[in-house]
Amino acid sequence: MASIDVGAADDVVGATPGLQLTGRPRRGEAAIKVVLGLCAAVSVVTTVGIVAALVPPTVTFFRENVSLTAFLTGTRWAPLFANPDFGVVPLVNATLMITSIAIALALPIGLLAAIFLSEYAPAGTRKVMKPMIEVLAGIPTVVYGFFALEFVTPDLLQRFWPAALGEAPGTFSALSAGLVMAFMIVPTIASLSEDALRAVPDALRQGSSGLGATKLQTTVRVVVPAAVSGIVAAVVLGTSRAIGETMIVLIAAGGTPVLSFDPRSGMQTMTGFIAQAGIGDLPTGSVGYSTIFAVGSLLFLMTFVMNLLSIRLVRRFQEVYE
C-alpha cells in the first residue's frame, strides 16, 4: 500500500488560502483582460472628450462676452437680443425647480414600490410587476413630453385645479413637466432600490424576526438601513437623469427664460435652451452659438459635483452599516 506523507499534505492544506498557481496561463485570458480594460476605459475617454469639447469654446465665450460672475449671478437671459444679457440664473432656477418636483414625487413612489416588490410581493407578482415598471424606462421621452402637453396639463391640472390655489397652470408649466418627469425616473429609483434591498442578507431578516420584530419593523429598521447606500445611489442616478432630461422640458415647460418661483408658469431649463439653440440657425462662432457651450459646461459641472458628493455619501453609509 502506498504511504501518504502527512506532513506534506498538511503543508498543502495550510498553504491553500494563499495558494499561488504557476504555469502556463489559460488561452485567451490575456486578451480578455485587455478587452475588459478597454471597455472600462471607454467611460474615462468619453468624459475627457466631453471636457475637451466644452472647455475651449467656453473659455472663449467668457473672455470675449461676459464675466463669469455676471454669468452666474445675472437674472436675465437674452443672449440673442440686440443688447444681450447672459445671466444664467433663470435657466438654473427652472432646472432645479422641475427636478425638485420630479424627485419629490418619484422618490416616495419608487422607494415604496421597491419595498413592496422586495419584501411583500409574492414571487409571481414580482415577476409580473417589475418588468411592467421597467417598461416606463424604455418609453421615448418625447412621448412623455406630448403626454404632458396633451393630457396632464389640459385634462388633469387645468380641469381639476382647485380654485383656492389661484389660477390654473398655463399650457406650458414647470409643474406639468415635473410631474411627468417623475414617472419617467420612477423605474430607475424603484428597480435599483429593489435590487439593493434584495441584496441584504436574509440572516438579518431572520435575526430581526427571531427577536420578535414584526415584518414592518424588520423592513424599516433593518432592511432599509442596510441597503441605504444602494438606495442613495438610485436616487442620485434618477436625479442626474432628471437634470439632464431634454425633450420633456422642451415640450412641456416652454421656451421662455423667466426667473419665476411659481411652478404654474412656463420657463426654460438649461437643457431646453441647449436643444432650442442647437437646432436653430445660429452660425458657428457667433455669440449665440458660444452660449450653448457655456451652459453645457455649467450643466456638466453641476452633475459632476453632484455625483462626487453622492459617491462620498454612499461610501460613508457603507462604512456605517458594514
Side-chain angles (χ1 to χ4, degrees), residues 211-279:
L211 293 174
T214 64
K215 182 71 173 179
L216 180 61
Q217 290 173 330
T218 299
T219 300
V220 174
R221 299 184 181 181
V222 177
V223 179
V224 172
V228 71
S229 61
I231 294 173
V232 170
V235 174
V236 171
L237 184 60
T239 304
S240 299
R241 187 177 180 189
I243 291 177
E245 173 53 36
T246 302
M247 294 309 300
I248 293 178
V249 296
L250 184 64
I251 296 174
T256 305
V258 295
L259 180 58
S260 173
F261 298 97
D262 186 355
R264 298 173 298 175
S265 61
M267 53 189 67
Q268 188 176 50
T269 64
M270 302 170 71
T271 54
F273 167 76
I274 293 173
Q276 188 179 54
I279 62 177

Side-chain angles (χ1 to χ4, degrees), residues 9 36 46-47 69 86 102 155 179 189 203 222 230-231 236 248 313 315:
L36 294 177
T46 302
T47 303
T69 302
F86 300 102
D155 294 336
L179 291 177
I189 296 177
V222 177
I231 294 173
V236 171
I248 293 178
L313 187 62
R315 289 177 178 174

Side-chain angles (χ1 to χ4, degrees), residues 9 21 23 37 44 49 63 90 143 156 196 220 262 266 287:
L21 296 178
V44 178
R63 183 181 300 165
V143 175
L156 293 182
V220 174
D262 186 355
V287 176

Side-chain angles (χ1 to χ4, degrees), residues 91-107:
L91 302 184
V92 176
N93 172 73
T95 300
L96 296 180
M97 179 180 292
I98 293 175
T99 301
S100 299
I101 294 172
I103 293 300
L105 182 62
L107 178 57

Side-chain angles (χ1 to χ4, degrees), residues 291-306:
T291 57
I292 299 176
F293 295 93
V295 175
S297 297
L298 179 59
L299 182 63
F300 176 83
L301 184 62
M302 289 172 57
T303 55
F304 184 73
V305 171
M306 185 185 69

